[in-house]
Amino acid sequence: MNQIVLTGMVLSVTPIGEYDRRVVILTKEQGKISAFARGARKPNSPLVGAVNPFSFGEFTIYAGRTSYTIQSAKITNYFAELREDMMGAYYGFYFLEFADYYTKEANDEREILKLLYQTLRALGNPKLPNRLIRYIFELRALCINGEGPQIFQCITCGCTERPMVFSVKKGGLVCSECSGDIIDSIHLDQSTIYTMQYIESTKIEKLYTFVVKEKVMDELAWVMQRYTDVYIEKRFKSLEILETLL
Ligand SMILES: [Zn+2]
């Protein structure tokens, strides 16, 4: 029998017919996959609690010729704290939808999976503001996808010495020599630049270990909102819902 075991997180679940579910899982081994969970909507099914958004664990899957079917699941983290935290859950759904948009089948998606896991854990930490978690997640996810802003040197000439401004359209810092034709420049506080450098370069496990002052938060918000507007074509439904609640 063609049975495989995949480790991953459930990104989304759609009802199919009367009793079944279609489940999208972001896995370590095979990138994003889609699988059927037969009978998963029957109350006595062993899959009923397992195949829900955020569930992370091992999925034993039957690989048929044209589709995958989940046979059993061993969930190690349900992120159950998000069930009691409505705002946290909305942020979580946005991160799932974001990860879904950026990932593909048969692609190495381990970095984004790791980021997603640490980000959902961070939502359960009452000391971290959800807004900050959002900007950290967005910025790092863009970097994983090769679309993050250049925040270490001038994007045009590579210089690190001259005074810099930030340009969303150029995609990062631009020095005083190169910034002549830039119309969307903004001056960022040095602390904001350090914060962005840290988010782009630190280990994923260490991303959610700091808070920032109001000024840095406001600048991060300014940059990330414009940056995602320009570089992400998709409008996320979960983000629209989230923004009506803020
Ligand atoms: Zn330059």
Side-chain angles (χ1 to χ4, degrees), residues 154 156-159 162 175 177-178:
C154 170
T156 305
C157 73
C159 125
R162 286 186 279 269
C175 80
E177 287 285 298
C178 304

Side-chain angles (χ1 to χ4, degrees), residues 9 54 77-96 115-137 207-209 242 246:
M9 180 181 290
F54 308 123
N77 196 341
Y78 291 96
F79 292 95
E81 61 277 13
L82 293 179
R83 280 177 213 159
E84 275 123 54
D85 170 12
M86 192 190 78
M87 284 313 290
Y90 279 108
Y91 275 96
F93 281 119
Y94 167 50
F95 301 146
L96 293 183
L115 176 65
L116 197 52
Y117 190 91
Q118 295 298 335
T119 306
L120 294 180
R121 283 192 54 192
L123 284 175
N125 179 349
K127 289 187 193 126
L128 293 172
N130 287 340
R131 278 176 80 202
L132 177 61
I133 296 172
R134 169 185 168 179
Y135 302 135
I136 294 175
F137 172 83
L207 270 177
Y208 297 103
T209 52
L242 180 61
L246 292 174

Side-chain angles (χ1 to χ4, degrees), residues 10-245:
V10 174
L11 297 182
S12 70
V13 177
T14 325
I16 300 271
E18 205 173 342
Y19 296 119
D20 304 336
R21 282 178 171 155
R22 184 177 161 273
V23 187
V24 176
I25 309 172
L26 187 61
T27 72
K28 261 185 202 169
E29 300 84 354
Q30 297 196 9
K32 185 171 74 179
I33 64 152
S34 167
F36 289 103
R38 300 210 191 283
R41 294 165 72 205
K42 291 182 185 168
N44 59 351
S45 161
L47 292 178
V48 79
V51 291
N52 289 307
F54 308 123
S55 288
F56 179 89
E58 273 181 13
F59 299 84
T60 302
I61 285 169
Y62 174 74
R65 224 157 40 87
T66 54
S67 66
Y68 285 155
T69 306
I70 302 174
Q71 293 182 309
S72 64
K74 217 191 303 170
I75 302 302
T76 52
N77 196 341
Y78 291 96
F79 292 95
E81 61 277 13
L82 293 179
R83 280 177 213 159
E84 275 123 54
D85 170 12
M86 192 190 78
M87 284 313 290
Y90 279 108
Y91 275 96
F93 281 119
Y94 167 50
F95 301 146
L96 293 183
E97 193 182 351
F98 198 111
D100 192 356
Y101 174 67
Y102 265 110
T103 50
K104 290 197 264 310
E105 198 171 336
N107 208 33
D108 182 354
E109 308 290 7
R110 283 176 293 181
E111 284 288 288
I112 194 95
L113 178 61
K114 202 194 279 182
L115 176 65
L116 197 52
Y117 190 91
Q118 295 298 335
T119 306
L120 294 180
R121 283 192 54 192
L123 284 175
N125 179 349
K127 289 187 193 126
L128 293 172
N130 287 340
R131 278 176 80 202
L132 177 61
I133 296 172
R134 169 185 168 179
Y135 302 135
I136 294 175
F137 172 83
E138 289 173 341
L139 179 52
R140 188 57 179 253
L142 283 164
C143 291
I144 293 172
N145 203 48
E147 290 183 309
Q150 169 56 265
I151 199 80
F152 292 89
Q153 58 186 49
C154 170
I155 196 162
T156 305
C157 73
C159 125
T160 54
E161 307 300 319
R162 286 186 279 269
M164 307 268 179
V165 290
F166 187 89
S167 160
V168 170
K169 287 219 171 74
K170 282 271 178 185
L173 292 177
V174 188
C175 80
S176 52
E177 287 285 298
C178 304
S179 60
D181 59 338
I182 289 175
I183 47 164
D184 70 334
S185 70
I186 173 184
H187 179 267
L188 294 179
D189 195 87
Q190 197 55 44
S191 324
T192 307
I193 294 176
Y194 285 144
T195 304
M196 291 176 72
Q197 288 176 342
Y198 183 82
I199 297 168
E200 292 200 0
S201 60
T202 196
K203 278 188 177 168
I204 287 174
E205 290 82 353
K206 292 199 171 161
L207 270 177
Y208 297 103
T209 52
F210 66 93
V211 288
V212 295
K213 294 206 176 104
E214 209 47 46
K215 182 172 167 69
V216 173
M217 184 79 101
D218 288 346
E219 290 192 351
L220 263 183
W222 193 97
V223 169
M224 290 318 297
Q225 273 160 17
R226 278 155 191 81
Y227 205 85
T228 49
D229 269 354
V230 171
Y231 292 91
I232 303 176
E233 275 170 38
K234 186 176 163 72
R235 294 288 151 249
F236 298 108
K237 232 183 253 161
S238 52
L239 182 61
E240 281 170 17
I241 297 171
L242 180 61
E243 278 172 345
T244 64
L245 301 169

